[in-house]
Amino acid sequence: MKLFIYHTPELTPTDTVPDCAIAVDVLRATTTMATVLAAGGEAIQVFSDLDTLIDVSAAWDASKRLRAGERGGAKVEGFDLGNSPLDCTQTLVAGRRLFISTTNGTRALQRIQNAPAVLAAAFVNRAAAVNYLLAKQPETVWIVGSGWEGTYSLEDTACAGAICHSVLQQANIPLAELAGNDEVVGAIALYEQWQDRLVELFHQASHGKRLLRLNCDDDLKYCAQVDVLDVLPIQQEPGVLKLLG
């Protein structure tokens, strides 16, 4: 198994696809996706364009859908939800499909949607993603951070490092063999430095500061939890993620 980390979707190679690709958007899209499926959501369907989301979701019974739209960290007017995992209660989401478009995370998923296996991971379900990799042993794995509008995000790289760190500990593969690019080594070091202070790290991150200005401190605390959800969103058809199995 070779692990590659790309800090943003724009940095991924354009002439190849990996055996497995993992989208990471800790603050907050992939955290929200894991939360929705853990609460009984039927599926997640992702869109980069808000108008396309509205058109496609219009074909669904209103009682079986939820529209989630976020731009700049804030909820889009007229949508049922923004991008806060704390809003995704079992009462609200159980049995419903979440149609979601966010500033960054949904773009990352669309960039990697042609890989044979596409997963969504965050700190909250890190162990589920690692367990999948250890069980399936894909030859090449891309872990793609969502970043912020094409730029680097501390929290996504730290989460990618957390995934690699756990694989490294459990797979008994030397780092020199596991790491497909330098970013893997750097991300593991970042995670090791901050693993016991993730909320503090989020407060240092530019997007964490942006969410704090929107009074989303509780979101940061929730997103900093590690291995608390035993769910793995996996793509069943392009742009549609459901629970593994």
Side-chain angles (χ1 to χ4, degrees), residues 156-191:
D156 291 345
T157 299
C159 183
I163 293 169
C164 295
H165 182 269
S166 186
V167 172
L168 183 67
Q169 286 188 323
Q170 298 183 59
N172 198 30
I173 302 172
L175 178 59
E177 294 182 20
L178 189 70
N181 59 5
D182 289 354
E183 287 87 337
V184 171
V185 180
I188 291 174
L190 178 68
Y191 170 67

Side-chain angles (χ1 to χ4, degrees), residues 109-182:
L109 279 161
Q110 290 199 321
R111 170 64 190 88
I112 59 176
Q113 69 181 10
N114 292 328
V118 176
L119 317 176
F123 280 111
V124 292
N125 70 330
R126 186 270 309 259
V130 170
N131 290 340
Y132 177 93
L133 296 179
L134 294 174
K136 300 295 186 180
Q137 291 289 319
E139 186 173 340
T140 55
V141 179
W142 292 0
I143 307 173
V144 181
S146 297
W148 177 262
E149 296 184 342
T151 61
Y152 175 91
S153 287
L154 273 174
E155 67 279 1
D156 291 345
T157 299
C159 183
I163 293 169
C164 295
H165 182 269
S166 186
V167 172
L168 183 67
Q169 286 188 323
Q170 298 183 59
N172 198 30
I173 302 172
L175 178 59
E177 294 182 20
L178 189 70
N181 59 5
D182 289 354

Side-chain angles (χ1 to χ4, degrees), residues 62-80:
S63 67
K64 296 295 184 181
R65 74 175 186 227
L66 287 167
R67 292 168 170 161
E70 171 266 317
R71 289 294 183 268
K75 175 177 173 288
V76 176
E77 185 177 354
F79 279 65
D80 302 307

Side-chain angles (χ1 to χ4, degrees), residues 47-64:
F47 299 84
S48 57
D49 180 73
L50 292 169
D51 290 335
T52 304
L53 183 159
I54 291 172
D55 290 344
V56 173
S57 62
W60 283 67
D61 186 317
S63 67
K64 296 295 184 181

Side-chain angles (χ1 to χ4, degrees), residues 179 218 245:
D218 287 343

